[in-house]
Amino acid sequence: MKGRTLLVVSIIFGVALVCGYLVAANANLLPEVASTRGDLMQRLFNSLLGAATVVFVLVEGLLVYSVIRFRRRAGDGGEGVAVHGNTALEVFWTAIPALLVVVIAVYSFRVLSASEAETEKPMVVEVIGRQFSWEFRYPEQGLTSSDLHLPVSEPVRFEITSEDVIHSFWVPNFLAKRDATPGQVSEFAVTPSEIGVFPVRCAELCGPGHAAMVSQVIVETPEEFDAWVERMASLPGDSTEAGRLLFGRYGCTGCHVLADAGANGLIGPSLEGIGTRAGETVPGLDADAYLRQSILEPNVHLIPTYLENIMPADFATRIPPHELDLLVTYLAGR
Ligand code: CUA
């Protein structure tokens, strides 16, 4: 090849390498990052993507170049040149990837240990997965919620488990995900860095309601968080308001339709007008008894076309009697 052609090819190659690296290293492929741990992960991800792009352009570029440069010419029917290895080249292409892998391993390890580092005294939130809802318990505050509230900039440690099958607790904007395994507690620590409302998902196929196993994390100022804790610790004096609140707190809103409670879930039957139907659905059961049993033993009076074992069957152990009374009275009035 003439000197000029080689120069032009080298320049094109060099420009492609630099551009590829810059595009990949600054690519914005992850969700909006809302945790300090996520910042570390994002930097690691972009570094890896940058390095991978350089390797890709280099290897594919040499391949394309060789295909064009050393192609069979018209009228050339002879054998190719016999080549017998090249020690220098082999040492080179073994050493470079080995070095790359070591650098990536060290960097990844550092990011992992920094993101898992124990902070002074993180707030503990117990995360319980069950078919098909998330429950968040705050042992220090003594309360339970179906939404995850967190104060911004304060470290929190999740203790994650499941009551039935394997789920996966996933907050995409925290760049964090961990399996919820029955009989086992797994943990991860996170410090929310952005105020806002972000989705919580289940990332492990866990049954027919898997796609509906969603919740949200509300990252708020410490003052707003304290106010929420206070609100959660007490129930409004008005029984309708209290019932509406409990309907949301126990996650009913996720699966049922009930306009009064702002619920539009499609997993379970609609509860619109349930108060007028409840007394006539099962002969011999009045509205109160029917509603009560439907909450505590959801598989007994299944509405046709709805599946068994979708609604959690453990409300008897989770709802205190006075709250159950409030919830039943509330539903009977809808
Ligand atoms: Cu729980 Cu998927």
Side-chain angles (χ1 to χ4, degrees), residues 5 76 82 93 112 115 131 198 206 247 254 302:
T5 320
D76 177 4
W93 75 30
L112 190 66
S115 66
Q131 292 167 318
F198 308 100
C206 54
F247 191 78
L302 274 184

Side-chain angles (χ1 to χ4, degrees), residues 103-117:
V103 169
I104 290 171
V106 170
Y107 184 16
S108 305
F109 180 78
R110 289 174 58 114
V111 167
L112 190 66
S113 37
S115 66
E116 300 285 312

